[in-house]
Amino acid sequence: MKLVLGARGRLGSALCSQFAAEGVIAPDRGVYETWWQPGSEAAITRYLQMQSSSVDAIFVAAGIIDPSAPAADHERVNCLLPQQVIRAAEPLGIRVTTFGTVMEVLADHNPSRYVASKIALSNLVEQSARAGACVMHVRIHTLYGGRPPAEFMFTGQMLRALRTHQPFLMSPGVQLREYHHLDDEGPAIAALDASGARGVVELNHGDSVPLAEVAESTFRLLGATHLLRIGALPMPANEKLGVRFTRPALLTGHVFRDVRFAMADYLRAHLHHSNA
């Protein structure tokens, strides 16, 4: 049985679908919202032991990604919550998987509150794994697919411009990104989990694309190139350029769809829905 914390989120919902055949427990946030507190291991242990079927793996997909959220909230949900879950699960022999971001290695200095909290979490997981805990921290790339994107994200900004027929202002877009569709991410995470990998793992497909290319292909396929303003904004600070990622051997043969085409399909579905 798999326990998924954050099941209502984009990643959590994908995990629930992926592991549905094996059995999934997906508690409401009210069940675990205080598990970040010191001493919460006892409450977590009681919850795990009271389940009718034994839990063999926990996926902590709960998280705050909004950069405007208070730093304390990022720390509580993104770092302290998984920390307490790991402490409770280890004596029970339950495997724990947490999730971070490749921005942990791309951010140059003075990272955002979100990235800083994920760096702290990855350090914690690495230390726990070295000490013998069955834990894995998966650094993921930008996800798309499923529900509409958050408006503060690049994908959400594109959707807003397309919906409102307003110019889309962006930087020169030379920074490289991997975009992963949710329907591809669930099976990839399952493969990493089944491998028994521990410590920090990067979930890469290896096809990094400049943001400008993502925008160009998306707006072209949606017939809206007249809205695109590449270079209208300055390059963001504190970012390493030209960094590409290598697909791990565990994912050799795994199929990831091409964002140059799939992003337009994803946004088109939400454009149609909004205009229905």
Side-chain angles (χ1 to χ4, degrees):
M1 185 72 70
K2 313 297 184 185
L3 173 64
V4 178
L5 304 184
R8 292 185 179 181
R10 186 182 301 275
L11 178 60
S13 62
L15 292 171
C16 288
S17 297
Q18 178 63 37
F19 294 112
E22 301 177 43
V24 173
I25 302 171
D28 290 335
R29 184 169 56 186
V31 171
Y32 58 85
E33 65 182 354
T34 61
W35 285 3
W36 64 269
Q37 297 175 347
S40 60
E41 296 98 316
I44 299 171
T45 300
R46 285 195 299 271
Y47 179 82
L48 293 170
Q49 293 179 331
M50 69 182 286
Q51 301 307 312
S52 57
S53 299
S54 60
V55 175
D56 58 19
I58 303 173
F59 296 86
V60 187
I64 293 178
I65 62 174
D66 187 345
S68 66
D73 290 350
H74 282 279
E75 180 184 22
R76 283 194 291 266
V77 180
N78 295 346
C79 188
L80 297 180
L81 169 63
Q83 171 186 277
Q84 296 302 99
V85 170
I86 290 169
R87 289 176 175 174
E90 183 178 2
L92 301 175
I94 300 175
R95 177 177 173 83
V96 178
T97 298
T98 67
F99 297 92
T101 168
V102 292
M103 292 306 295
E104 294 168 32
V105 295
L106 287 179
D108 195 358
H109 63 276
N110 191 28
S112 69
R113 298 165 181 172
Y114 168 68
V115 174
S117 68
K118 291 299 187 179
I119 291 173
L121 175 59
S122 66
N123 291 337
L124 169 71
V125 170
E126 193 68 68
Q127 293 169 5
S128 298
R130 286 199 297 265
C134 190
V135 293
M136 176 174 65
H137 179 73
V138 181
R139 286 178 177 152
I140 62 176
H141 293 261
T142 305
L143 301 176
Y144 68 105
R147 66 188 63 177
E151 287 197 0
F152 64 84
M153 299 184 70
F154 184 76
T155 309
Q157 293 167 12
M158 286 197 295
L159 180 59
R160 183 171 64 249
L162 290 163
R163 278 176 170 170
T164 61
H165 305 286
Q166 296 296 314
F168 180 64
L169 310 181
M170 63 173 290
S171 73
V174 298
Q175 56 270 55
L176 297 174
R177 292 288 187 270
E178 283 193 17
Y179 277 87
H180 292 220
H181 196 282
L182 275 181
D183 292 345
D184 304 330
E185 203 77 344
I189 292 170
L192 294 177
D193 177 61
S195 75
R198 301 189 183 194
V200 177
V201 178
E202 292 179 354
L203 201 172
N204 312 320
H205 56 47
D207 184 20
S208 298
V209 181
L211 278 182
E213 186 173 347
V214 174
E216 286 173 339
S217 60
T218 300
F219 278 74
R220 175 175 52 79
L221 290 171
L222 294 176
T225 54
H226 61 286
L227 299 177
L228 194 54
R229 304 288 190 274
I230 296 175
L233 299 178
M235 277 292 297
N238 307 327
E239 183 170 334
K240 297 176 182 176
L241 300 177
V243 178
R244 294 182 181 274
F245 295 87
T246 302
R247 181 185 297 216
L250 291 170
L251 297 179
T252 299
H254 186 75
V255 177
F256 293 90
R257 63 202 70 194
D258 190 335
V259 68
R260 299 167 185 84
F261 303 97
M263 181 64 77
D265 292 337
Y266 165 55
L267 295 185
R268 182 183 291 111
H270 291 294
L271 284 170
H272 175 74
H273 181 268
S274 67
N275 294 328

